[in-house]
Amino acid sequence: MKKFTKSVLLASVAAAMMGGATIAKAADSVNVAFFLEWATPNQISKVEKAYDDAMGVKVNWTDFKTGTAMTEAMLAGDIDIAYSQGLSPFVTAIQQGHPLKMVGVAMEYPANNCYIKNGLGIDASNASELEGKTVAVPLNTMADFAFRSYMKHFNVDVSTMNIVDQEPADGAKSLADGNVDMACIFGGNSSKAAAEVGTAIMTDAQKVEAGIGSFDVVSVTEDFATKNPGLLRTFMEVTAEANASWTGDAAQLAIVAKDAGMSPADTKSQMDTFIFLSPEEQKAKYFGSEGVAVSAAESLGLMFKKPGAWNVDKKIAKVITGEYLD
Amino acid sequence: MLDWLSDNRAIVAAIIILLLVGAFLWSIAYGIRQTRLREKDQVFGDPERTVGGWFWAICGVSVLLLAWFYFSWGVARAFFPQAANELCQVGKLHEAVSPVTSSLAIKSRYSKSKTLLVRNSKQLESLRARLPVEAFTVSDVSRVKIVMSNTQRLINMMATPDFVGAETMREIEEVNVGFAGITNALATAPEQWMASEKALAQPSWGTSEPEIPLLPISARGAKFDTLATEAAILSKKFLRIRNLSPPAKSLIDETKMMIAALKKSPSANDKDLKLVKARTTYMKAVDRIFKRIDDGKIFPASVMAGMQSSVQTMLYQLEEAKGGLSYVETLFFPGGDIIKSRTQCTEQGPGRWLPKPTDVIATFFALANPDLENGGGYKGTTLLWWKWLPVAHVVAILIPDGLVDLLPGSYGELDESGGFQPNYKDWMLSLAQGDVYMGAIPMLDGHIWDSLFRVLVAMFFGITLGVPLGIYMGVSRFCKSFFDPLIELYRPVPPLAWAPLILTIFGIQDDGKIFLLFMVAFAIMVISARTGATGAQLSKIRASHSLGASDQQILRYVILPNALPEIMTGVRISIGVCWGTLVAAEMLAGTTGVGFIENVARTVSDYELIWVTILIMGLLGLIFDLMMRWAIARYIPWRGKG
């Protein structure tokens, strides 16, 4: 009799677990977050269903506006993999203690530009004159990170500046109106508008020289990584294959442009600034013992940190791993 | 004092919760008594009936706060300060076995083996169907077919109990025994385990950055923690098990070689690039499925049955071992879980996005601390404080710089020795630009003041311009017809739609934000004043007219008093809407203000800060409304009695 009660209990525990299990569906389909207007070679694989074929499950792609929204969706269990999430929302999520992991670098790209209003007579050579000026910055974004990196590079005291929190589109407009002296911008259209009336503080080549760069990460929920390491590896493999077979010819460009929702010309100029690294390059540069990923995340976290020590026990290093690139 | 309160949040919260429960019960009892007392001499519908009743307000507020405490898991933290830590240890155990559970039919309908078998067989089937025969030579086609059937055979072989090697069986049994051991350990009393000194020295739940202390602080927690470590080792062992019997291995080697050869051998028509591509793509797909199989992660159901039951029993025993903790979890952690991730335990659920009331208060005090050097304020500005405002700055606003240019003479120039002697025009310019020291007056400062200032100025202009216009629209045909289209056209447009225009026209200073708020307030004031003016009873106007009142007198003594109640309602509504529009206004170009704090907090999902700003705006709105209600009752006693 006792055994019977126990087995009934066992069955009910199993049933309760199944009822509450959202994981049940995750094994049959994988949900991936991506950005529109952010062209990547793997969009060809996405369109041609190469991911579905290789992983053997249905891969659903959802586009997002911001990396923070990607984090929220991952926490809510609706997204398993965020492809090309910005470094800054990822680090912020880790600071808040969310169970996410960085498993790869989607692409490298030059740091966001800060445009100085033409006619002020300020450029890289006399950047210290920016002290006391007004700057439009979308706070807590990669553009903010770039801005602070530039100012550090030029030894400009940020605390003397009047920093205005503005969306890139608004920042570009304020720069054109002359309400701000410098605007830090991300996004194609806003950058174009800002470049009309201002000049980037550093060229792409100078940025590389100064070691100021950006990269987008591939982040996953810890749950997905522990439960489906095989699927994750295949995902990274297909992505690497797509990057390797990218030639940038018209046919490929047309597919990516259509999927990214941009004109082929804009797509081309955007992708010309991107660098897609092979798994070996990623491992060597980002995930080694002195990998760039950890140090960049640390310095970014330090800039935006809330009061209090957040990086106790090298927390950030523990959630950055290249093991799924093999 | 503040530090002590902050460190002992649980106790403080417990006292507050008890007080709230007391207030709730008392207010209900008192309210019922009062209602009974008055029941007999009141008529339903009489406005007098709603007068008073502050005890019901206490009741409402305490219900609200109690609900907040409950759903933010504040009650759990106040009365079961160890629960989160113990649930964290349970989470560790769940995390440790998750690689095993995810491959069994636990928390899912099918076991992973079954899913893999079905999925891969199906894919092989579809791959077989679309074999591009023209891309391969005849002999290659048959070889490809052999590879496919080999792969299928491999799948079936792995799922057959007869083919499972003795070594594999032994390894699986070892893991089974391990889990049985954990089950037994779970059943024993937790006395033999102890919390380490390091664990006890951890900051308690919610008082430090990693919200929940990671190391076990109770005997029960220590037990789960130790067993979680053991389970993690078992999981690792399990992940290393491969179902590769000697026949399977030889089949794999054979097929591998065939695939490698097929990848190299020439296709039927090497000239046709399309065919070559089709061939490589196809072989890649075949290889991929094969690689998914050859790591031997498919097991027969009967072999895994033992593990299925041992793990399930362990999880069942875990629920048992939680004892009273499981009741606490169900009752006091509504809508979410404590999840153990790679480096820490976190609250996932309402505990995450609805911060506990005490935490919000602590964040508020950290924000309200005027000592900017030591982490007070937000982004370099205090929340609400005061500063010395140089009189020169006020003077500078009054004198436009351009006026100085119009003065006779020219600005001073550099002399021969490189020095600069400013003349009177330079002095005037520095006066116009506020660079001359003329003393200073104390002035309010900070985010709240900045927001308040914007709202108040907007309200001031909204009332002084909107009310007269509204009243004249109520009494004059010209005013009504002339302004009506203008007002009605812009009124329904949401303020956010104006934002980009306002940014271009006014720039990033306060005037743009104030104008946006003004537009909102103005429309409401015009409409309410107009409704009030047209609502004056005709008999009153006729009566005063026949008594010889002039137009001015009718306006001053009949229409205005009659319109006042409507106007005051308009003020109440527009202040509320102004606070609502503030976030949008301060998004235009954020430098300071409550809305600015919220906008920045949103980008980092800082829920405590977001709730602080929500509460600040709500409370300020409430205070204004209470003041308005008091003013209405005091100065317009005829309201509702006309």
Side-chain angles (χ1 to χ4, degrees):
Chain A
M1 190 60 206
K2 202 169 172 213
K3 203 163 181 201
F4 173 74
T5 357
K6 200 170 175 185
S7 59
V8 167
L9 267 170
L10 270 178
S12 56
V13 165
M17 282 177 155
M18 246 165 71
T22 44
I23 313 102
K25 73 170 198 292
D28 304 329
S29 67
V30 173
N31 300 300
V32 185
F34 74 108
F35 285 124
L36 283 179
E37 301 195 13
W38 199 240
T40 54
N42 70 346
Q43 280 172 301
I44 296 175
S45 315
K46 174 189 166 225
V47 174
E48 289 174 351
K49 301 255 173 232
Y51 281 104
D52 303 56
D53 285 344
M55 290 161 77
V57 292
K58 195 168 166 2
V59 181
N60 304 315
W61 293 78
T62 312
D63 65 284
F64 280 80
K65 277 264 181 289
T66 63
T68 316
M70 285 182 177
T71 302
E72 291 296 322
M74 292 212 276
L75 293 181
D78 293 337
I79 291 292
D80 303 307
I81 305 175
Y83 185 78
S84 79
Q85 189 181 29
L87 181 64
S88 120
F90 171 73
V91 172
T92 313
I94 299 304
Q95 281 180 323
Q96 306 268 347
H98 298 325
L100 304 182
K101 234 182 187 142
M102 169 180 169
V103 295
V105 174
M107 81 281 281
E108 284 181 347
Y109 53 95
N112 296 121
N113 275 323
C114 285
Y115 294 92
I116 302 174
K117 174 94 175 157
N118 288 340
L120 284 180
I122 302 177
D123 57 27
S125 63
N126 56 351
S128 62
E129 283 185 32
L130 282 169
E131 289 190 1
K133 297 276 190 235
T134 307
V135 193
V137 181
L139 292 183
N140 293 354
T141 59
M142 287 311 285
D144 189 6
F145 182 55
F147 162 65
R148 278 160 216 274
S149 306
Y150 292 139
M151 294 305 107
K152 210 168 143 195
H153 178 75
F154 290 123
N155 265 328
V156 180
D157 184 1
V158 177
S159 68
T160 64
M161 304 171 99
N162 181 17
I163 296 171
V164 183
D165 177 33
Q166 285 192 303
E167 297 284 306
D170 291 345
K173 208 176 302 158
S174 288
L175 187 73
D177 295 337
N179 287 318
V180 297
D181 304 308
M182 181 163 86
C184 299
I185 305 283
F186 60 82
N189 293 334
S190 303
S191 297
K192 221 185 273 175
E196 284 294 318
V197 293
T199 314
I201 189 165
M202 279 176 126
T203 62
D204 285 355
Q206 285 170 327
K207 284 182 216 167
V208 174
E209 203 172 305
I212 301 173
S214 292
F215 57 91
D216 274 3
V217 306
V218 183
S219 54
V220 297
T221 60
E222 293 213 346
D223 191 60
F224 181 75
T226 37
K227 288 186 178 156
N228 300 292
L231 286 181
L232 183 53
R233 280 210 177 83
T234 316
F235 180 88
M236 301 307 281
E237 194 188 316
V238 175
T239 308
E241 271 169 23
N243 289 341
S245 59
W246 175 252
T247 57
D249 62 24
Q252 282 187 332
L253 210 55
I255 299 174
V256 173
K258 185 162 174 258
D259 195 57
M262 293 194 292
S263 72
D266 286 349
T267 309
K268 184 163 172 12
S269 67
Q270 186 182 57
M271 290 185 82
D272 281 347
T273 63
F274 289 171
I275 301 170
F276 300 98
L277 301 175
S278 71
E280 289 70 36
E281 287 168 326
Q282 286 185 36
K283 270 189 283 183
K285 185 171 173 193
Y286 284 90
F287 297 103
S289 54
E290 283 174 18
V292 183
V294 173
S295 60
E298 267 174 358
S299 64
L300 191 143
L302 221 55
M303 261 178 203
F304 298 153
K305 74 169 174 187
K306 296 203 295 180
W310 67 276
N311 201 13
V312 206
D313 307 333
K314 298 259 168 204
K315 196 155 79 183
I316 196 91
K318 289 182 182 165
V319 294
I320 293 181
T321 169
E323 62 182 300
Y324 298 98
L325 290 167
D326 297 321
Chain B
M1 177 65 184
L2 276 178
D3 283 340
W4 184 87
L5 283 176
S6 177
D7 289 342
N8 295 285
R9 276 176 218 192
I11 302 166
V12 175
I15 295 170
I16 296 176
I17 291 168
L18 290 178
L19 287 177
L20 284 173
V21 172
F24 172 67
L25 295 176
W26 173 84
S27 64
I28 288 192
Y30 188 76
I32 291 175
R33 215 166 64 219
Q34 286 292 318
T35 313
R36 280 212 194 108
L37 219 65
R38 303 184 182 194
E39 218 166 24
K40 293 206 180 75
D41 41 61
Q42 278 180 339
V43 181
F44 179 80
D46 181 355
E48 287 293 318
R49 217 166 160 257
T50 62
V51 171
W54 51 272
F55 35 90
W56 289 128
I58 290 183
C59 184
V61 170
S62 51
V63 166
L64 193 71
L65 287 177
L66 281 175
W68 183 8
F69 265 111
Y70 178 71
F71 283 104
S72 63
W73 304 355
V75 176
R77 191 171 77 184
F79 295 102
F80 308 98
Q82 294 198 344
N85 178 263
E86 290 187 340
L87 285 172
C88 168
Q89 314 310 322
V90 175
K92 279 183 190 171
L93 197 47
H94 276 295
E95 191 205 21
V97 292
S98 69
V100 183
T101 46
S102 69
S103 62
L104 297 171
I106 296 175
K107 293 191 191 182
S108 62
R109 289 187 180 83
Y110 289 167
S111 69
K112 203 171 211 169
S113 296
K114 198 154 144 193
T115 318
L116 284 178
L117 188 144
V118 173
R119 187 196 290 158
N120 288 316
S121 303
K122 216 183 266 171
Q123 286 198 322
L124 265 180
E125 197 59 44
S126 77
L127 206 57
R128 209 174 275 158
R130 58 186 163 92
L131 171 69
V133 183
E134 67 283 359
F136 291 92
T137 58
V138 182
S139 62
D140 276 358
V141 168
S142 59
R143 276 157 73 198
V144 170
K145 280 184 177 161
I146 292 173
V147 167
M148 307 261 255
S149 66
N150 274 359
T151 313
Q152 184 64 54
R153 207 140 62 84
L154 190 62
I155 296 177
N156 295 345
M157 201 186 266
M158 284 178 178
T160 319
D162 300 345
F163 280 99
V164 179
E167 176 69 3
T168 312
M169 289 300 268
R170 197 184 55 73
E171 285 172 337
I172 291 178
E173 195 46 40
E174 229 176 78
V175 175
N176 279 349
V177 170
F179 278 122
I182 293 183
T183 311
N184 288 337
L186 278 170
T188 55
E191 270 72 50
Q192 53 168 309
W193 285 278
M194 243 170 56
S196 65
E197 252 172 58
K198 198 178 158 204
L200 292 173
Q202 292 173 111
S204 56
W205 179 12
T207 48
S208 72
E209 186 77 22
E211 285 256 305
I212 298 165
L214 193 64
L215 303 171
I217 53 175
S218 64
R220 188 160 54 183
K223 177 168 100 174
F224 294 147
D225 182 50
T226 320
L227 295 178
T229 325
E230 283 176 30
I233 296 169
L234 286 178
S235 291
K236 255 192 202 139
K237 236 185 215 169
F238 171 78
L239 286 178
R240 275 200 300 266
I241 301 177
R242 298 273 183 272
N243 181 16
L244 297 174
S245 54
K249 266 185 191 155
S250 65
L251 190 60
I252 288 173
D253 290 340
E254 182 193 327
T255 319
K256 242 185 204 163
M257 263 156 40
M258 285 179 80
I259 292 178
L262 274 168
K263 273 183 169 171
K264 270 188 216 134
S265 73
S267 72
N269 192 346
D270 258 346
K271 302 273 167 6
D272 193 338
L273 279 176
K274 228 177 174 177
L275 286 182
V276 174
K277 201 182 165 215
R279 192 185 137 90
T280 30
T281 324
Y282 190 78
M283 279 320 293
K284 214 192 252 173
V286 172
D287 193 26
R288 202 168 256 150
I289 293 188
F290 179 74
K291 271 191 186 149
R292 240 185 272 154
I293 307 303
D294 76 351
D295 54 5
K297 295 309 283 180
I298 296 178
F299 297 92
S302 60
V303 173
M304 295 306 274
M307 187 166 298
Q308 172 92 15
S309 83
S310 69
V311 172
Q312 232 159 25
T313 320
M314 192 207 80
L315 290 177
Y316 167 74
Q317 192 59 50
L318 175 61
E319 290 302 309
E320 288 272 281
K322 271 156 82 176
L325 189 60
S326 53
Y327 295 110
V328 174
E329 189 184 14
T330 338
L331 285 176
F332 294 103
F333 289 83
D337 277 317
I338 304 275
I339 304 275
K340 163 72 174 51
S341 60
R342 180 84 178 77
T343 56
Q344 58 192 318
C345 282
T346 44
E347 301 166 4
Q348 299 295 341
R352 173 166 67 84
W353 53 260
L354 183 67
K356 296 161 192 57
T358 37
D359 289 357
V360 171
I361 294 168
T363 309
F364 175 80
F365 277 112
L367 212 61
N369 175 12
D371 188 0
L372 290 178
E373 304 293 314
N374 294 314
Y378 189 72
K379 298 267 176 200
T381 308
T382 53
L383 193 60
L384 186 61
W385 202 237
W386 65 279
K387 63 167 182 197
W388 290 108
L389 178 72
V391 178
H393 284 188
V394 184
V395 175
I397 292 171
L398 299 177
I399 312 175
D401 294 1
L403 208 64
V404 184
D405 295 340
L406 300 179
L407 293 174
S410 58
Y411 294 109
E413 294 191 1
L414 293 180
D415 59 26
E416 307 275 300
S417 57
F420 178 62
Q421 289 299 325
N423 63 16
Y424 89 100
K425 208 168 160 176
D426 293 305
W427 282 116
M428 290 306 290
L429 184 68
S430 52
L431 183 70
Q433 291 181 335
D435 294 339
V436 184
Y437 184 73
M438 300 167 72
I441 44 168
M443 184 67 192
L444 283 170
D445 182 36
H447 290 291
I448 290 184
W449 167 248
D450 285 344
S451 292
L452 199 62
F453 175 76
R454 286 163 196 156
V455 169
L456 288 182
V457 173
M459 282 304 296
F460 172 77
F461 284 112
I463 292 171
T464 48
L465 297 176
V467 171
L469 182 65
I471 290 193
Y472 277 104
M473 280 173 79
V475 296
S476 144
R477 183 189 293 142
F478 166 77
C479 278
K480 188 202 81 183
S481 309
F482 188 87
F483 291 108
D484 201 33
L486 187 76
I487 305 262
E488 288 301 324
L489 208 62
Y490 102 80
R491 191 174 64 97
V493 181
L496 253 183
W498 297 110
L501 287 178
I502 284 173
L503 193 66
T504 306
I505 301 168
F506 289 95
I508 57 170
Q509 302 303 326
D510 269 356
D511 44 3
K513 295 166 196 135
I514 290 172
F515 186 76
L516 192 70
L517 298 179
F518 161 75
M519 295 211 330
V520 175
F522 180 68
I524 297 175
M525 290 319 301
V526 169
I527 304 272
S528 58
R530 183 181 160 186
T531 321
T534 50
Q537 276 180 23
L538 199 58
S539 54
K540 289 183 187 170
I541 298 173
R542 295 255 164 94
S544 52
H545 182 70
S546 51
L547 286 171
S550 67
D551 289 0
Q552 283 300 317
Q553 282 170 325
I554 290 177
L555 194 66
R556 168 75 183 78
Y557 295 106
V558 183
I559 293 179
L560 191 62
N562 268 292
L564 262 182
E566 287 276 358
I567 292 174
M568 290 312 242
T569 311
V571 173
R572 276 174 71 183
I573 294 173
S574 56
I575 282 199
V577 180
C578 272
W579 281 113
T581 317
L582 195 68
V583 177
E586 286 174 351
M587 199 194 284
L588 285 181
T591 44
T592 54
V594 183
F596 163 75
I597 299 181
E598 166 140 29
N599 283 324
V600 178
R602 193 174 53 188
T603 60
V604 291
S605 313
D606 191 335
Y607 297 104
E608 280 167 22
L609 212 47
I610 291 174
W611 279 95
V612 168
T613 56
I614 289 177
L615 290 179
I616 288 177
M617 284 192 271
L619 286 176
L620 283 174
L622 180 70
I623 291 171
F624 269 100
D625 205 59
L626 289 178
M627 278 161 56
M628 287 305 298
R629 279 196 232 171
W630 174 82
I632 290 173
R634 176 84 175 73
Y635 295 108
I636 323 177
W638 61 86
R639 176 174 163 271
K641 296 179 184 120

